[in-house]
Amino acid sequence: MKQPVSLTARLSLLFAASSAGVLLVAGLLFEHAGANQFLERDAVELYGKMEFIQNELLHITSPSSIETLPSRLHQIVLGHPGIAIIIADQNGKALFSTGPGRTLDYLSKLNWVNKLQPVTVQYADRTYRVIASRLNLGTIPAQTATVEIGLDISKNQNFLRSFKEFIWFGMVLAMMAMGWLGWVVVRKGLSPLYVLSETMENVSAQRLGTTIPALDSPRELQAVINSFNTMLSKLDDSFQRLSNFSSDIAHELRNPVHALMMQTQVTLSRERDITDYRDALQSNMEEFERLSRMISDMLFLAKADNQQLVPKREEIVLHDEIDRLIDYYCVLATDRGINLKKSGTATLIADKLMLQRALSNLLSNAIRFTPDGMTIEISVEESTEAIWISVTNPGPEIPAEHLSNIFERLYRVDAARREGGSDNIGLGLAITKSIVTIHGGTIDASSCNGLTRFNMIFPNSI
Ligand SMILES: Nc1ncnc2c1ncn2[C@@H]1O[C@H](COP(=O)(O)OP(=O)(O)OP(=O)(O)O)[C@@H](O)[C@H]1O
Ligand SMILES: [Mg+2]
């Protein structure tokens, strides 16, 4: 698999590339400025000489004075071995020429007269900057001469070339240096990240409770550390709950299994008649039922946790569904003189079996805690966004500190008292909550003024 590029390498490369870019632009500007400077200097020299020649030509007033040209122009040629000058009359006859070898022949064949700027030409292995003009001779009637001046600029060109090479070489060197420097700087700059990753590596399941101090870290990392700490504390919380849950579950399973074993041992300890065996089996059956209910409840919760439960989408007329539930609990409630009252209706899109289970958990709890002869209310309300189903019963209040925990698995307000008897293990509300959650709803509980109320809120998807 392709290894992802490290942050250090990425930043160092970016650093080197951007430095190279800056150096390249600077180098090109420098080179351009150098070339311009040379051009200007050459132009000044060439036009200076042209002016001088122009002056001298004005002194040519007769054919005989043409012969004085070499001595007159001697001065500008002096000390300039690379200069080439051609002065030709209107018929192309050379009046004066000086310069290295055949350069003159070559230059004279070209017509530069109308060029505004000096022209750069390559001849043999030399480079020339050339200007040309048509100038008046001082004769009457006016006669003109073509003057061409070529300046050998090979030296300057060589200098520019080696300067360019130097810049490129320097740029490669600087790029390498910048890359290395960038690597050092980035590693130093990212050192808090390495420290952080080491600290993170040391976090194990047993040390989820530890937090990483954010204050000493750079500001950019503080948000990451805070999120990591929050995640750790959530993980710690879940981990604790999970391990408590497994130990609770072992506890819950141990008691019925223990009771079953004892009962079977006692039954088998001596010969008994058939009725005793039947009674023992009957009692075992009840224990098995309880175990089976507990296991299927846990399985339901495990499936809900792993998103394996997909609720059906059925239209449920709540009014009818609550009636059916009241019918079911009627005998139990009437026995204790408890009145079951319902109000409101709505059509909810949900999984019918799951909704029955959720409502049934709430109602069975309510009946368990309602004092004899009092009334439990099941009410439905609807708005365009949501449908509320609430179950309210009078009875002992749930202390505020327990309210947020009662939806947790195996949680009972007073486990020692084993409220409701050995059948109630504290999974009912957890199941109700996961049913509401997988339908996209929420559940809350309140308990005050002698009334306990559970409120399920479903999104109204009609
Ligand atoms: N209507 C209520 N009034 C007072 N306390 C309640 C009420 N409903 C629930 N509780 C408290 O919340 C706890 C958790 O309820 P839950 O339904 O989850 O468990 P359970 O009824 O004890 O057991 P199970 O539902 O598994 O049979 C109960 O043990 C009880 O202490
Ligand atoms: Mg219950």
Side-chain angles (χ1 to χ4, degrees), residues 198-227:
E198 261 173 41
T199 323
M200 283 177 174
E201 257 172 39
N202 287 334
V203 175
S204 60
Q206 280 68 38
R207 299 178 55 199
L208 284 175
T210 49
T211 49
I212 300 171
L215 278 179
D216 320 335
S217 311
R219 221 171 330 137
E220 290 83 349
L221 287 184
Q222 286 186 3
V224 179
I225 295 176
N226 286 337
S227 315

Side-chain angles (χ1 to χ4, degrees), residues 347 381-388 458-462:
T347 306
E381 279 171 52
E382 184 182 19
S383 79
T384 43
E385 279 96 39
I387 292 174
W388 288 264
F458 293 94
N460 194 352
S461 39
I462 289 177

Side-chain angles (χ1 to χ4, degrees), residues 204-210 231-249 408-410:
S204 60
Q206 280 68 38
R207 299 178 55 199
L208 284 175
T210 49
M231 187 190 78
L232 269 189
S233 93
K234 280 187 190 158
L235 272 179
D236 188 37
D237 194 43
S238 308
F239 193 74
Q240 283 302 332
R241 268 194 288 147
L242 207 69
S243 57
N244 289 347
F245 182 58
S246 1
S247 65
D248 286 353
I249 218 141
E408 276 172 26
R409 286 144 206 218
L410 299 173

Side-chain angles (χ1 to χ4, degrees), residues 33-43 129 156-157 159-160:
N36 263 355
Q37 182 69 25
F38 277 124
L39 179 68
E40 261 171 44
R41 266 177 46 189
D42 295 344
R129 198 98 75 193
N156 299 352
Q157 296 296 95
F159 172 78
L160 274 179

Side-chain angles (χ1 to χ4, degrees), residues 293 297 361 365-366 368-369 393 396-398 406 408 411-414 419 423-430 452 454:
R293 185 169 82 89
D297 281 356
N361 283 343
N365 279 354
R368 204 163 95 217
F369 288 100
N393 71 281
E397 286 172 19
I398 305 173
I406 52 173
E408 276 172 26
Y411 194 88
R412 278 158 300 190
V413 171
D414 189 353
E419 309 146 313
D423 263 4
N424 304 105
I425 56 162
L427 286 177
L429 286 180
T452 300
F454 285 89

